[in-house]
Amino acid sequence: MQIHLSDITDSEGKIIQFGSEVELDKISFQMGEFPILDRSPVELRIANTGNKVLELTGKGSLTVGIPCDRCLEQVSVTIPYDIDRKLDMKQTDKERVENLDENDYLTGMDLDVDRLVYLEVLMSWPLKVLCKEDCKGICSRCGKNLNEGPCGCAEEPKDPRMAAISDIFSKFKEV
Ligand SMILES: [Zn+2]
Ligand SMILES: [Zn+2]
């Protein structure tokens, strides 16, 4: 959703408060692409604190599907975020780039709420995601999810005849 900020920029002391729907359906960045499973509307408050500076605060949360670090099953992770930014509306887009402000959510007088929420969620991205504390992960040999039960790989065949048979099987697999 785009919000046009020219009215509030011209009204010193004015405060607006509103809820905005988030239209994102996925979060993509260098770690991959993650579906958004649920989202709350973002509650935004914009205050003109004078001198064409806007104070932008707000909060919301997104629920994102992220694979478990150990077993890769998708985990539904709720990421709350808090927005607290100052927008100097006197700056041109060019000046913002030169000042290395990372607010590419602002173009001219237009605030891109989805882009802002995207950046906030990235800043709150969880470092570690587990489906459960004692997730057993996947077998490094056969790839079975060990939460669903043992795969049998861990135990080496003790009977030499069984070992011979499994050798034959692995030869078949190589063909
Ligand atoms: Zn897991
Ligand atoms: Zn296995």
Side-chain angles (χ1 to χ4, degrees), residues 1-5 18-24 27 40-46 56-60 62 81 83 85 87 104-107 110-121:
M1 183 172 166
Q2 299 274 346
I3 295 168
H4 198 61
L5 297 173
F18 54 95
S20 170
E21 293 298 327
V22 176
E23 284 151 5
L24 290 170
I27 300 281
S40 72
V42 45
E43 298 296 327
L44 281 176
R45 180 180 185 275
I46 305 176
L56 177 64
T57 50
K59 60 180 176 206
L62 288 185
Y81 55 86
I83 300 166
R85 293 176 187 253
L87 310 178
D104 60 349
Y105 52 87
L106 187 62
T107 308
D110 289 310
L111 174 69
D112 183 338
V113 175
D114 282 346
R115 182 70 190 166
L116 176 62
V117 167
Y118 168 85
L119 293 171
E120 297 291 348
V121 167

Side-chain angles (χ1 to χ4, degrees), residues 74-129:
Q74 179 171 286
V75 186
S76 149
V77 182
T78 299
I79 304 177
Y81 55 86
D82 275 301
I83 300 166
D84 186 3
R85 293 176 187 253
K86 274 199 164 56
L87 310 178
D88 186 345
M89 304 307 282
K90 295 187 296 301
Q91 288 190 342
T92 62
D93 288 346
K94 192 165 163 282
E95 283 170 338
R96 284 181 195 132
V97 172
E98 283 164 1
N99 294 342
L100 296 176
D101 277 354
E102 272 189 73
N103 46 7
D104 60 349
Y105 52 87
L106 187 62
T107 308
M109 287 281 165
D110 289 310
L111 174 69
D112 183 338
V113 175
D114 282 346
R115 182 70 190 166
L116 176 62
V117 167
Y118 168 85
L119 293 171
E120 297 291 348
V121 167
L122 283 200
M123 290 201 303
S124 310
W125 199 258
L127 293 177
K128 194 174 177 66
V129 173

Side-chain angles (χ1 to χ4, degrees), residues 68-73 75 130-132 135-137 145 147:
C68 169
D69 288 344
R70 288 187 200 148
C71 72
L72 307 179
E73 285 291 311
V75 186
L130 289 178
C131 60
K132 52 185 175 185
C135 171
K136 295 184 176 71
N145 184 339
N147 297 310

Side-chain angles (χ1 to χ4, degrees), residues 138-144 146 150-154:
I138 55 175
C139 171
S140 56
R141 287 198 201 172
C142 70
K144 183 180 157 80
L146 298 174
C151 60
C153 290

